[in-house]
Protein backbone atom coordinates (compact mmCIF):
# COMPACT_ATOMS: atom_id res chain seq x y z
CA UNK A 1 0.00 0.00 0.00
CA UNK A 2 1.23 3.50 -0.77
CA UNK A 3 1.56 5.69 2.33
CA UNK A 4 -0.85 8.55 2.96
CA UNK A 5 1.31 11.68 2.98
CA UNK A 6 0.45 14.27 5.60
CA UNK A 7 2.17 17.44 6.80
CA UNK A 8 2.22 17.40 10.60
CA UNK A 9 2.05 20.74 12.43
CA UNK A 10 4.08 19.96 15.52
CA UNK A 11 4.38 23.41 17.06
CA UNK A 12 4.26 22.95 20.85
CA UNK A 13 3.46 19.24 20.61
CA UNK A 14 5.53 16.60 22.43
CA UNK A 15 7.66 14.35 20.24
CA UNK A 16 9.62 11.46 21.75
CA UNK A 17 12.99 10.46 20.27
CA UNK A 18 14.61 7.34 21.73
CA UNK A 19 18.31 6.98 20.93
CA UNK A 20 21.10 9.53 20.93
CA UNK A 21 23.16 8.52 17.89
CA UNK A 22 23.58 9.90 14.40
CA UNK A 23 20.02 9.08 13.28
CA UNK A 24 18.64 11.16 16.13
CA UNK A 25 21.23 13.85 15.35
CA UNK A 26 19.76 14.17 11.86
CA UNK A 27 16.12 14.18 12.93
CA UNK A 28 16.05 16.32 16.08
CA UNK A 29 17.02 19.63 14.39
CA UNK A 30 14.25 19.15 11.82
CA UNK A 31 11.71 18.46 14.57
CA UNK A 32 12.86 21.59 16.39
CA UNK A 33 12.52 23.62 13.19
CA UNK A 34 8.90 22.43 13.09
CA UNK A 35 8.39 23.77 16.63
CA UNK A 36 8.11 20.38 18.33
CA UNK A 37 8.73 19.98 22.05
CA UNK A 38 11.35 17.21 21.86
CA UNK A 39 12.05 14.73 24.65
CA UNK A 40 15.18 12.65 24.05
CA UNK A 41 15.64 9.37 25.91
CA UNK A 42 19.11 7.84 25.73
CA UNK A 43 21.99 7.00 28.12
CA UNK A 44 24.36 9.04 25.90
CA UNK A 45 24.18 11.50 23.01
CA UNK A 46 26.42 12.86 20.26
CA UNK A 47 28.20 16.21 20.86
CA UNK A 48 25.83 18.00 18.46
CA UNK A 49 22.79 16.76 20.41
CA UNK A 50 24.57 17.66 23.64
CA UNK A 51 24.81 21.22 22.36
CA UNK A 52 21.05 21.37 21.65
CA UNK A 53 20.38 20.01 25.14
CA UNK A 54 22.67 22.63 26.73
CA UNK A 55 20.79 25.28 24.76
CA UNK A 56 17.58 24.21 26.50
CA UNK A 57 15.87 23.25 23.26
CA UNK A 58 15.66 19.51 24.04
CA UNK A 59 14.63 17.71 27.24
CA UNK A 60 17.08 14.85 27.86
CA UNK A 61 16.15 11.82 29.96
CA UNK A 62 19.61 10.31 30.51
CA UNK A 63 18.61 6.65 30.74
CA UNK A 64 17.44 3.71 28.60
CA UNK A 65 13.88 3.51 27.27
CA UNK A 66 11.16 2.58 29.77
CA UNK A 67 7.57 1.53 29.23
CA UNK A 68 5.46 4.65 29.64
CA UNK A 69 7.84 6.98 27.81
CA UNK A 70 5.36 7.29 24.95
CA UNK A 71 2.67 8.79 27.20
CA UNK A 72 1.62 12.23 25.99
CA UNK A 73 3.59 12.05 22.74
CA UNK A 74 2.05 12.90 19.39
CA UNK A 75 4.88 11.26 17.45
CA UNK A 76 7.65 8.79 18.36
CA UNK A 77 11.00 8.11 16.69
CA UNK A 78 12.66 4.80 17.62
CA UNK A 79 16.34 5.39 16.76
CA UNK A 80 18.28 3.02 19.02
CA UNK A 81 20.87 0.51 17.82
CA UNK A 82 18.92 -2.39 19.36
CA UNK A 83 16.17 -4.02 17.33
CA UNK A 84 14.41 -5.43 20.38
CA UNK A 85 14.24 -1.98 21.99
CA UNK A 86 12.86 -0.40 18.81
CA UNK A 87 10.28 -3.21 18.62
CA UNK A 88 9.17 -2.54 22.20
CA UNK A 89 8.91 1.23 21.56
CA UNK A 90 6.86 0.67 18.42
CA UNK A 91 4.58 -1.79 20.23
CA UNK A 92 3.88 0.68 23.04
CA UNK A 93 3.23 3.50 20.59
CA UNK A 94 0.91 1.32 18.51
CA UNK A 95 -1.05 0.24 21.59
CA UNK A 96 -1.54 3.91 22.50
CA UNK A 97 -2.41 4.90 18.90
CA UNK A 98 0.68 7.08 18.49
CA UNK A 99 2.47 7.18 15.16
CA UNK A 100 5.97 5.69 15.44
CA UNK A 101 8.89 5.83 13.00
CA UNK A 102 11.39 3.00 13.28
CA UNK A 103 14.87 3.74 11.97
CA UNK A 104 15.87 0.10 11.68
CA UNK A 105 12.93 -1.59 9.90
CA UNK A 106 10.82 0.15 7.27
CA UNK A 107 8.39 -2.76 6.98
CA UNK A 108 7.68 -2.80 10.73
CA UNK A 109 7.41 0.97 10.94
CA UNK A 110 3.96 2.52 11.23
CA UNK A 111 5.25 5.69 9.57
CA UNK A 112 8.15 6.65 7.35
CA UNK A 113 10.29 9.75 7.54
CA UNK A 114 10.37 11.14 4.02
CA UNK A 115 13.47 12.54 2.36
CA UNK A 116 12.73 16.21 2.92
CA UNK A 117 14.01 19.59 1.86
CA UNK A 118 12.92 23.19 2.06
CA UNK A 119 13.40 26.18 -0.24
CA UNK A 120 11.95 29.39 1.13
CA UNK A 121 8.29 28.56 1.84
CA UNK A 122 8.22 25.38 -0.24
CA UNK A 123 8.68 22.05 1.56
CA UNK A 124 9.43 18.89 -0.39
CA UNK A 125 8.86 15.40 1.03
CA UNK A 126 9.48 12.22 -0.95
CA UNK A 127 8.79 8.58 -0.15
CA UNK A 128 9.81 5.85 -2.56
CA UNK A 129 8.39 2.61 -1.28
CA UNK A 130 10.67 2.71 1.74
CA UNK A 131 13.83 3.08 -0.36
CA UNK A 132 15.58 6.04 1.35
CA UNK A 133 18.38 6.34 -1.19
CA UNK A 134 15.98 6.61 -4.12
CA UNK A 135 13.78 9.04 -2.21
CA UNK A 136 16.79 11.20 -1.36
CA UNK A 137 17.86 11.27 -5.00
CA UNK A 138 14.44 12.46 -6.16
CA UNK A 139 14.27 15.00 -3.33
CA UNK A 140 17.70 16.35 -4.31
CA UNK A 141 16.55 16.84 -7.90
CA UNK A 142 13.40 18.73 -6.91
CA UNK A 143 15.13 20.88 -4.29
CA UNK A 144 18.01 21.59 -6.66
CA UNK A 145 15.61 22.73 -9.37
CA UNK A 146 13.83 25.00 -6.93
CA UNK A 147 17.09 26.50 -5.65
CA UNK A 148 18.66 26.99 -9.07
CA UNK A 149 15.48 28.06 -10.83
CA UNK A 150 15.80 25.26 -13.36
CA UNK A 151 13.33 22.63 -14.48
CA UNK A 152 15.87 19.92 -15.22
CA UNK A 153 18.03 19.45 -12.11
CA UNK A 154 19.91 16.37 -13.29
CA UNK A 155 23.66 16.58 -12.82
CA UNK A 156 26.13 15.50 -15.54
CA UNK A 157 29.35 16.84 -14.06
CA UNK A 158 32.26 14.63 -13.08
CA UNK A 159 32.28 13.82 -9.41
CA UNK A 160 34.69 16.02 -7.43
CA UNK A 161 37.71 14.54 -5.67
CA UNK A 162 39.65 15.49 -2.56
CA UNK A 163 38.41 17.92 0.07
CA UNK A 164 36.16 20.96 -0.19
CA UNK A 165 36.31 23.56 2.57
CA UNK A 166 32.77 24.94 2.47
CA UNK A 167 31.66 27.95 4.46
CA UNK A 168 28.05 27.31 5.42
CA UNK A 169 27.18 30.91 6.23
CA UNK A 170 25.90 32.45 9.48
CA UNK A 171 23.24 29.85 10.34
CA UNK A 172 20.19 30.19 8.09
CA UNK A 173 20.50 27.26 5.63
CA UNK A 174 19.28 29.52 2.84
CA UNK A 175 22.44 31.61 3.17
CA UNK A 176 24.88 28.93 2.05
CA UNK A 177 26.21 29.63 -1.45
CA UNK A 178 24.80 27.77 -4.45
CA UNK A 179 28.26 26.27 -5.07
CA UNK A 180 28.51 25.11 -1.47
CA UNK A 181 25.09 23.47 -1.66
CA UNK A 182 25.99 21.75 -4.92
CA UNK A 183 29.17 20.27 -3.46
CA UNK A 184 27.38 19.19 -0.28
CA UNK A 185 24.91 17.24 -2.41
CA UNK A 186 27.80 15.34 -4.02
CA UNK A 187 29.70 14.51 -0.82
CA UNK A 188 30.57 11.01 0.28
CA UNK A 189 31.69 12.25 3.69
CA UNK A 190 30.66 15.44 5.53
CA UNK A 191 32.73 16.69 8.47
CA UNK A 192 30.48 19.27 10.14
CA UNK A 193 31.01 21.87 12.84
CA UNK A 194 28.33 22.61 15.45
CA UNK A 195 27.64 26.02 13.86
CA UNK A 196 27.21 24.60 10.35
CA UNK A 197 23.58 24.91 9.10
CA UNK A 198 22.01 21.88 10.79
CA UNK A 199 18.94 21.72 8.57
CA UNK A 200 21.19 20.92 5.60
CA UNK A 201 22.51 17.82 7.34
CA UNK A 202 19.03 16.30 7.41
CA UNK A 203 18.93 16.56 3.61
CA UNK A 204 21.98 14.31 3.20
CA UNK A 205 21.32 10.93 1.58
CA UNK A 206 21.50 8.05 4.08
CA UNK A 207 24.68 6.63 2.54
CA UNK A 208 26.63 9.85 3.25
CA UNK A 209 28.91 9.48 6.27
CA UNK A 210 28.39 12.35 8.70
CA UNK A 211 31.26 13.07 11.10
CA UNK A 212 30.48 15.30 14.06
CA UNK A 213 33.37 17.74 14.57
CA UNK A 214 31.58 19.90 17.13
CA UNK A 215 33.66 22.20 19.29
CA UNK A 216 31.45 23.28 22.17
CA UNK A 217 32.72 26.32 24.12
CA UNK A 218 34.10 25.11 27.46
CA UNK A 219 32.80 21.63 26.61
CA UNK A 220 33.33 18.63 24.35
CA UNK A 221 35.52 19.17 21.31
CA UNK A 222 37.21 17.17 18.56
CA UNK A 223 40.87 18.16 18.36
CA UNK A 224 41.91 20.01 15.21
CA UNK A 225 44.71 17.50 14.58
CA UNK A 226 42.14 14.70 14.55
CA UNK A 227 39.93 16.64 12.13
CA UNK A 228 42.90 17.07 9.77
CA UNK A 229 43.59 13.33 9.96
CA UNK A 230 39.96 12.48 9.14
CA UNK A 231 39.93 14.74 6.07
CA UNK A 232 43.10 13.14 4.71
CA UNK A 233 42.11 9.58 5.62
CA UNK A 234 38.76 9.66 3.80
CA UNK A 235 40.10 11.57 0.78
CA UNK A 236 42.86 8.98 0.35
CA UNK A 237 40.14 6.32 0.10
CA UNK A 238 38.83 8.08 -2.99
CA UNK A 239 35.89 9.69 -1.21
CA UNK A 240 34.84 13.29 -1.80
CA UNK A 241 34.96 15.04 1.56
CA UNK A 242 33.13 18.27 2.42
CA UNK A 243 34.32 20.13 5.50
CA UNK A 244 31.22 22.14 6.39
CA UNK A 245 31.61 25.06 8.77
CA UNK A 246 29.59 27.97 9.97
CA UNK A 247 30.45 31.35 8.50
CA UNK A 248 33.60 31.32 6.36
CA UNK A 249 36.33 28.72 6.71
CA UNK A 250 39.07 31.34 6.66
CA UNK A 251 37.57 33.73 9.24
CA UNK A 252 38.48 32.17 12.60
CA UNK A 253 37.55 28.84 11.06
CA UNK A 254 41.03 27.26 10.95
CA UNK A 255 40.54 26.58 7.27
CA UNK A 256 44.15 27.60 6.62
CA UNK A 257 45.41 24.84 8.93
CA UNK A 258 43.24 22.25 7.18
CA UNK A 259 44.38 23.43 3.77
CA UNK A 260 48.05 23.17 4.77
CA UNK A 261 47.52 19.67 6.21
CA UNK A 262 45.83 18.47 3.01
CA UNK A 263 48.49 20.10 0.80
CA UNK A 264 51.27 18.36 2.71
CA UNK A 265 49.44 15.04 2.24
CA UNK A 266 49.01 15.66 -1.51
CA UNK A 267 45.21 15.96 -1.23
CA UNK A 268 43.54 18.41 -3.66
CA UNK A 269 41.54 21.10 -1.89
CA UNK A 270 38.92 23.51 -3.16
CA UNK A 271 37.64 26.44 -1.13
CA UNK A 272 34.06 27.69 -1.21
CA UNK A 273 33.84 30.97 0.71
CA UNK A 274 30.93 31.49 3.06
CA UNK A 275 29.16 34.55 4.41
CA UNK A 276 30.95 35.37 7.65
CA UNK A 277 28.76 35.92 10.69
CA UNK A 278 30.92 38.94 11.54
CA UNK A 279 29.08 40.90 8.84
CA UNK A 280 25.90 38.87 8.33
CA UNK A 281 24.70 38.84 11.95
CA UNK A 282 24.93 42.62 12.47
CA UNK A 283 23.14 43.05 9.12
CA UNK A 284 20.39 40.63 10.13
CA UNK A 285 19.89 42.74 13.27
CA UNK A 286 19.64 45.90 11.15
CA UNK A 287 23.10 47.22 12.06
CA UNK A 288 25.55 48.16 9.28
CA UNK A 289 29.17 47.58 10.33
CA UNK A 290 30.11 50.74 8.37
CA UNK A 291 28.02 53.82 7.69
CA UNK A 292 28.87 57.04 5.90
CA UNK A 293 29.83 59.77 8.34
CA UNK A 294 29.79 57.36 11.29
CA UNK A 295 32.35 54.60 10.77
CA UNK A 296 34.81 54.07 7.93
CA UNK A 297 36.33 50.91 9.39
CA UNK A 298 35.40 47.82 11.31
CA UNK A 299 37.49 45.32 13.24
CA UNK A 300 36.63 41.67 13.70
CA UNK A 301 38.12 40.21 16.89
CA UNK A 302 38.14 36.65 18.17
CA UNK A 303 37.88 36.72 21.95
CA UNK A 304 38.41 33.04 22.69
CA UNK A 305 41.08 34.21 25.16
CA UNK A 306 40.74 37.12 27.60
CA UNK A 307 42.41 40.49 26.92
CA UNK A 308 45.00 39.95 29.67
CA UNK A 309 45.79 36.37 28.59
CA UNK A 310 49.44 36.01 27.46
CA UNK A 311 48.20 34.22 24.32
CA UNK A 312 46.18 37.25 23.19
CA UNK A 313 47.63 39.06 20.15
CA UNK A 314 44.94 41.77 20.11
CA UNK A 315 45.93 45.44 20.50
CA UNK A 316 43.14 46.39 22.90
CA UNK A 317 44.44 49.92 23.59
CA UNK A 318 44.55 50.54 19.82
CA UNK A 319 41.01 49.26 19.40
CA UNK A 320 39.79 51.43 22.25
CA UNK A 321 41.32 54.53 20.63
CA UNK A 322 39.82 53.66 17.24
CA UNK A 323 36.50 55.16 16.20
CA UNK A 324 35.71 52.10 14.10
CA UNK A 325 33.11 49.42 14.72
CA UNK A 326 34.21 46.43 16.79
CA UNK A 327 32.66 43.04 16.06
CA UNK A 328 33.49 40.65 18.90
CA UNK A 329 33.19 36.92 18.23
CA UNK A 330 33.24 34.21 20.90
CA UNK A 331 33.17 36.85 23.63
CA UNK A 332 29.73 36.69 25.24
CA UNK A 333 31.01 34.67 28.23
CA UNK A 334 33.47 37.45 29.11
CA UNK A 335 31.57 40.50 27.84
CA UNK A 336 31.95 42.32 31.16
CA UNK A 337 35.72 41.95 31.11
CA UNK A 338 35.86 43.12 27.48
CA UNK A 339 33.75 46.19 28.26
CA UNK A 340 35.92 47.12 31.25
CA UNK A 341 39.08 46.74 29.13
CA UNK A 342 37.75 49.03 26.39
CA UNK A 343 36.63 51.65 28.94
CA UNK A 344 39.98 51.49 30.74
CA UNK A 345 41.83 51.98 27.45
CA UNK A 346 39.79 54.99 26.33
CA UNK A 347 36.38 54.09 24.90
CA UNK A 348 33.48 56.03 26.36
CA UNK A 349 31.32 54.08 28.85
CA UNK A 350 28.32 55.37 26.87
CA UNK A 351 29.46 53.69 23.64
CA UNK A 352 26.43 51.76 22.29
CA UNK A 353 26.61 47.97 22.17
CA UNK A 354 24.33 45.32 20.69
CA UNK A 355 24.66 41.62 21.43
CA UNK A 356 22.90 39.28 18.98
CA UNK A 357 22.27 35.60 19.73
CA UNK A 358 21.46 32.99 17.03
CA UNK A 359 21.91 35.52 14.24
CA UNK A 360 19.89 34.86 11.01
CA UNK A 361 17.98 31.98 12.66
CA UNK A 362 14.29 32.02 13.69
CA UNK A 363 15.49 32.13 17.32
CA UNK A 364 17.51 35.32 16.80
CA UNK A 365 17.27 37.88 19.59
CA UNK A 366 19.25 40.98 20.49
CA UNK A 367 20.05 43.10 23.53
CA UNK A 368 21.02 46.77 23.27
CA UNK A 369 23.14 48.46 25.94
CA UNK A 370 26.22 50.59 26.47
CA UNK A 371 29.71 49.49 27.49
CA UNK A 372 28.87 50.37 31.09
CA UNK A 373 25.65 48.30 31.16
CA UNK A 374 26.17 45.49 28.67
CA UNK A 375 27.32 42.85 31.17
CA UNK A 376 24.25 43.36 33.33
CA UNK A 377 21.88 43.39 30.35
CA UNK A 378 23.35 40.23 28.81
CA UNK A 379 23.11 38.36 32.11
CA UNK A 380 19.54 39.50 32.73
CA UNK A 381 18.46 38.45 29.23
CA UNK A 382 20.16 35.04 29.49
CA UNK A 383 22.13 35.57 26.28
CA UNK A 384 24.47 32.65 25.56
CA UNK A 385 26.67 31.44 22.69
CA UNK A 386 26.57 31.62 19.76
CA UNK A 387 26.34 35.39 20.08
CA UNK A 388 28.11 38.36 18.54
CA UNK A 389 28.73 41.76 20.15
CA UNK A 390 28.77 44.95 18.03
CA UNK A 391 30.44 47.96 19.64
CA UNK A 392 30.24 51.44 18.14
CA UNK A 393 28.05 54.28 16.94
CA UNK A 394 26.66 52.12 14.11
CA UNK A 395 24.41 50.54 16.73
CA UNK A 396 22.57 53.87 16.91
CA UNK A 397 22.18 53.75 13.12
CA UNK A 398 20.49 50.38 13.51
CA UNK A 399 18.20 51.78 16.18
CA UNK A 400 17.32 54.70 13.91
CA UNK A 401 16.47 52.29 11.10
CA UNK A 402 14.19 50.36 13.46
CA UNK A 403 12.45 53.56 14.56
CA UNK A 404 11.80 54.62 10.95
CA UNK A 405 10.39 51.18 10.18
CA UNK A 406 8.10 51.36 13.23
CA UNK A 407 6.82 54.80 12.25
CA UNK A 408 5.85 53.58 8.78
CA UNK A 409 3.86 50.60 10.03
CA UNK A 410 0.14 51.50 9.69
Amino acid sequence: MAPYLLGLRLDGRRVLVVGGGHVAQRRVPTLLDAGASVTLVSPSVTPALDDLIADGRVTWERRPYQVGDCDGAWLVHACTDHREVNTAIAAEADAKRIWCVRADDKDASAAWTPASGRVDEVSVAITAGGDPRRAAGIRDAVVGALRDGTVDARRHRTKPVGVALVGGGPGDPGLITVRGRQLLAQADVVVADRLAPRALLDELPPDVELIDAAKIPYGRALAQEKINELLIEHARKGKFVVRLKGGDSFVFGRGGEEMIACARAGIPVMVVPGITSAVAVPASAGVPVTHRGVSQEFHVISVHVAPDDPRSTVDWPGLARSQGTLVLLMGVERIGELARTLIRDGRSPETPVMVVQDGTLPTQRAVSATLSTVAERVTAAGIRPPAIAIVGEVVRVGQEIEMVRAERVP
Side-chain angles (χ1 to χ4, degrees):
M1 283 287 191
Y4 179 79
L5 298 183
L6 185 69
L8 297 181
R9 302 179 67 182
L10 296 175
D11 190 22
R13 301 183 190 275
R14 182 174 183 265
V15 175
L16 173 69
V17 178
V18 185
H22 290 298
V23 174
Q25 180 179 315
R26 290 171 182 249
R27 293 184 180 176
V28 168
T30 304
L31 291 169
L32 292 174
D33 287 346
S37 175
V38 176
T39 298
L40 180 64
V41 174
S42 179
S44 61
V45 297
T46 67
L49 287 170
D50 200 7
D51 188 43
L52 293 174
I53 293 163
D55 200 29
R57 303 181 67 194
V58 176
T59 300
W60 183 20
E61 299 287 343
R62 194 170 186 168
R63 56 171 173 76
Y65 159 77
Q66 297 175 357
V67 175
D69 282 341
C70 293
D71 288 345
W74 292 74
L75 177 66
V76 174
H77 283 264
C79 307
T80 79
D81 294 328
H82 305 287
R83 182 178 178 83
E84 65 276 14
V85 175
N86 290 338
T87 300
I89 297 167
E92 180 188 356
D94 190 58
K96 295 175 178 177
R97 297 187 177 183
I98 302 168
W99 291 108
C100 178
V101 181
R102 286 187 61 165
D104 62 334
D105 190 336
K106 69 180 182 65
D107 295 322
S109 185
W112 294 339
T113 299
S116 61
R118 184 178 177 87
V119 181
D120 297 326
E121 297 300 316
V122 179
S123 295
V124 176
I126 306 292
T127 62
D131 183 340
R133 186 167 184 174
R134 184 184 180 200
I138 298 170
R139 182 272 320 277
D140 283 348
V142 175
V143 169
L146 289 170
R147 282 205 172 102
D148 298 338
T150 60
V151 176
D152 184 358
R154 291 172 294 179
R155 300 183 179 93
H156 302 284
R157 297 190 303 271
T158 303
K159 177 183 171 182
V161 296
V163 173
L165 305 179
V166 176
D172 182 339
L175 295 178
I176 190 173
T177 64
V178 172
R179 179 61 171 158
R181 182 63 186 85
Q182 289 171 345
L183 293 179
L184 189 63
Q186 299 176 61
D188 299 309
V189 178
V190 175
V191 182
D193 277 357
R194 78 180 185 97
L195 295 181
R198 292 187 179 118
L200 295 178
L201 302 180
D202 192 55
E203 296 179 12
L204 297 174
D207 58 329
V208 175
E209 182 176 354
L210 175 61
I211 297 175
D212 186 354
K215 293 180 180 179
I216 300 174
Y218 316 106
R220 297 161 64 175
L222 188 63
Q224 185 61 48
E225 292 74 14
K226 180 61 177 178
I227 295 173
N228 295 346
E229 291 174 7
L230 289 168
L231 298 178
I232 294 167
E233 174 190 339
H234 288 286
R236 280 179 169 164
K237 293 178 181 178
K239 297 181 178 180
F240 177 51
V241 183
V242 168
R243 175 72 169 110
L244 182 64
K245 305 186 181 201
D248 182 89
S249 301
F250 281 27
V251 180
F252 304 124
R254 305 184 77 169
E257 297 176 45
E258 294 167 354
M259 197 169 191
I260 290 171
C262 290
R264 286 175 175 165
I267 303 297
V269 180
M270 67 180 79
V271 177
V272 180
I275 302 173
T276 175
S277 59
V279 175
V281 170
S284 72
V287 178
V289 293
T290 62
H291 191 76
R292 188 171 53 144
V294 177
S295 177
Q296 295 178 311
E297 58 181 321
F298 69 96
H299 307 264
V300 181
I301 305 102
S302 168
V303 203
H304 66 283
V305 295
D308 59 354
D309 192 298
R311 296 171 295 170
S312 177
T313 62
V314 179
D315 179 9
W316 288 102
L319 291 175
R321 291 191 301 269
S322 165
Q323 297 302 306
T325 305
L326 307 183
V327 181
L328 307 177
L329 310 183
M330 297 175 277
V332 69
E333 297 287 348
R334 50 176 64 90
I335 191 66
E337 183 178 358
L338 299 175
R340 289 191 295 272
T341 298
L342 290 169
I343 293 171
R344 179 199 67 195
D345 291 335
R347 281 264 178 157
S348 168
E350 298 308 308
T351 302
V353 182
M354 179 180 285
V355 182
V356 185
Q357 177 182 324
D358 292 342
T360 76
L361 296 173
T363 52
Q364 174 178 308
R365 60 192 184 114
V367 170
S368 295
T370 63
L371 280 178
S372 62
T373 63
V374 65
E376 179 183 349
R377 294 279 180 86
V378 164
T379 300
I383 298 291
R384 66 182 304 277
I388 287 177
I390 310 143
V391 180
E393 294 300 319
V394 293
V395 172
R396 299 193 201 280
V397 177
Q399 293 168 342
E400 180 183 351
I401 292 170
E402 189 60 32
M403 289 175 59
V404 172
R405 283 177 172 173
E407 290 172 357
R408 295 186 65 85
V409 173

